[in-house]
Amino acid sequence: MPPPLDDVLQDPLDDLKLGRQVARASIGVSCVLAASNIVIGLLAGSASVFAAGVEFAGDVIASTLVLIGMILAARPADEDHPYGHGRIEILAGLSVGVILAAGGAGICYRSLQGVYELRPPPGAYAKWPLICAILVRGVMSFVKFRVGRRIGSSSLIADAWNDTVDILSAGAALGALELTLHDPARFLSADHYGGFAVGLFVIYTGLRVLRDAAMDLIDTMPQSGIIDSIRRAALDVEGVLGIEKCYARKTGLKYHVEIHVEVDPAMTVAASHDIAAQVRLHVVRTLSRVADVMVHIEPFGMV
């Protein structure tokens, strides 16, 4: 998702730094949640709590990929990568989606193992790590969505969706566990089905993240407001009489723009070239989200 228009002028370097800080915090939080849910799930004999812990362990990998993607995306353009390394950040989001979908399938499979076995009901204390996870994930999801949308980070937004589904899946696991604890004789298998529900939530999130990252990789146009802001910046340049076309594609946190500006058809090639150079410089200076602009000159009023 493109950043809101109010944030188009933010400095991408500061945004990357903020995104990395959020990703680091997420890794630490996920490590604590994963360890607590896996250990307590095993000790209490709860399949749904253990499944939630496995999911949180996958979150550690996902957040690590987001952090690595942001670090690599900040590298400047070079001879082999003239458009920069921004799309590494998008690839990180794509990797998060793959990990989530595969991890969800594994959680579903493991949760259904031994569903009909007779065994003691889980310990009542198993619900507390799930309650803590719901509260912590709620805060992390809010922060990641806000920062991710502000800086236009595909991978951070993907991680935020991951946290959102963690809340839903932990809630499903908690409900299943409470049902088992309420009447173990009738609902002993509910705990296992709760773990299976967690896996389904994770698979859904992974597929959604994959779709969103793929949209950026196939050069989907940004929201119309961003295109309008580019057009307005170009029209501010003296000598530009109109805009025939304007395209933009996302490369990490920035956009590469191709714009066709209309000028007086009677002016010289040298004069029109100067206008093109001014348009490029003005758009890049005005909108820091724009990495570069390719300007085409078209005669005004001619079809």
Side-chain angles (χ1 to χ4, degrees):
M1 178 182 291
L5 292 181
D6 292 342
D7 297 321
V8 169
L9 298 179
Q10 297 292 328
D11 186 350
L13 293 178
D14 291 340
D15 289 343
L16 280 171
K17 182 179 179 181
L18 178 60
R20 290 196 294 266
Q21 291 173 344
V22 173
R24 289 191 186 99
S26 180
I27 292 172
V29 169
S30 294
C31 285
V32 174
L33 291 178
S36 61
N37 279 266
I38 288 176
V39 171
I40 294 179
L42 290 173
L43 293 176
S46 172
S48 58
V49 175
F50 179 82
V54 173
E55 179 187 359
F56 297 148
D59 295 342
V60 175
I61 300 174
S63 295
T64 300
L65 284 174
V66 171
L67 178 59
I68 293 173
M70 287 186 170
I71 292 174
L72 295 179
R75 295 166 60 185
D78 54 36
E79 184 176 348
D80 294 328
H81 305 88
Y83 294 102
H85 297 80
R87 287 201 170 176
I88 295 177
E89 193 266 344
I90 299 175
L91 285 175
L94 197 67
S95 300
V96 170
V98 172
I99 290 173
L100 289 175
I107 291 172
C108 286
Y109 175 78
R110 192 189 186 287
S111 296
L112 293 181
Q113 299 301 301
V115 67
Y116 296 113
E117 293 179 1
L118 295 177
R119 64 195 180 283
Y125 61 90
K127 63 184 179 181
W128 292 111
L130 291 175
I131 294 174
C132 291
I134 292 172
L135 296 175
V136 172
R137 284 303 192 209
V139 174
M140 292 303 299
S141 176
F142 173 79
V143 171
K144 289 179 184 177
F145 269 125
R146 183 167 183 175
V147 175
R149 285 170 175 162
R150 172 189 169 187
I151 70 177
S153 170
S154 299
S155 60
L156 198 59
I157 291 175
D159 213 18
W161 277 115
N162 184 20
D163 284 349
T164 301
V165 172
D166 284 350
I167 298 170
L168 297 176
S169 61
L174 181 61
L177 178 60
E178 289 284 8
L179 193 61
T180 299
L181 294 173
H182 175 71
D183 192 348
R186 295 177 57 190
F187 302 114
L188 186 61
S189 61
D191 183 52
H192 279 273
Y193 288 118
F196 180 77
V198 171
L200 293 180
F201 278 122
V202 177
I203 291 174
Y204 169 78
T205 306
L207 295 178
R208 182 185 179 113
V209 169
L210 283 171
R211 183 202 65 182
D212 292 345
M215 290 297 101
D216 285 335
L217 285 178
I218 63 175
D219 293 336
T220 302
M221 285 279 283
Q223 62 183 15
S224 60
I226 292 179
I227 295 297
D228 290 342
S229 66
I230 296 171
R231 286 175 171 268
R232 288 195 299 268
L235 286 170
D236 286 341
V237 176
E238 185 177 356
V240 176
L241 303 180
I243 306 295
E244 185 183 60
K245 302 174 185 176
C246 183
Y247 307 121
R249 58 177 179 173
K250 191 178 183 186
T251 53
L253 304 185
K254 287 193 172 189
Y255 295 93
H256 279 79
V257 176
E258 180 178 346
I259 190 168
H260 294 238
V261 300
E262 297 178 328
V263 300
D264 184 351
M267 72 169 42
T268 64
V269 172
S272 63
H273 180 272
D274 288 341
I275 290 177
Q278 292 173 33
V279 168
R280 176 178 176 272
L281 290 175
H282 184 67
V283 172
V284 171
R285 289 171 178 171
T286 303
L287 306 173
S288 62
R289 287 287 176 196
V290 176
D292 202 359
V293 183
M294 178 178 290
V295 183
H296 299 268
I297 296 296
E298 305 290 347
F300 178 74
M302 300 181 65
V303 180

